[in-house]
Amino acid sequence: MTPPPTTHDHLPVYESLVRELGDVLTETREVAEQAQHEARQALAGHQEERRGPAPRQA
């Protein structure tokens, strides 16, 4: 029976793929975080546009 993997296991196949192809998982995570940030900014700007400018006080 094979013991369950632990966080301390050595992953030679993954490490060799990272060397050959780059760390796709990390790059994907970074792109997703950037997209979320940009979407939040766009939605925040859109909400401000819908509210319109602040009313003037006379």
Side-chain angles (χ1 to χ4, degrees):
M1 183 175 218
T2 305
T6 66
T7 57
H8 301 292
D9 284 346
H10 185 66
L11 303 172
V13 173
Y14 180 75
E15 290 173 3
S16 66
L17 287 172
V18 168
R19 278 194 303 274
E20 290 176 29
L21 305 173
D23 193 344
V24 176
L25 295 176
T26 298
E27 291 175 21
T28 302
R29 185 179 305 111
E30 291 170 355
V31 170
E33 288 171 354
Q34 180 65 29
Q36 287 178 333
H37 176 73
E38 291 174 7
R40 282 189 202 106
Q41 286 183 322
L43 290 172
H46 180 70
Q47 289 173 352
E48 289 176 14
E49 288 175 11
R50 291 183 71 197
R51 286 187 218 143
R56 289 185 173 186
Q57 293 185 358

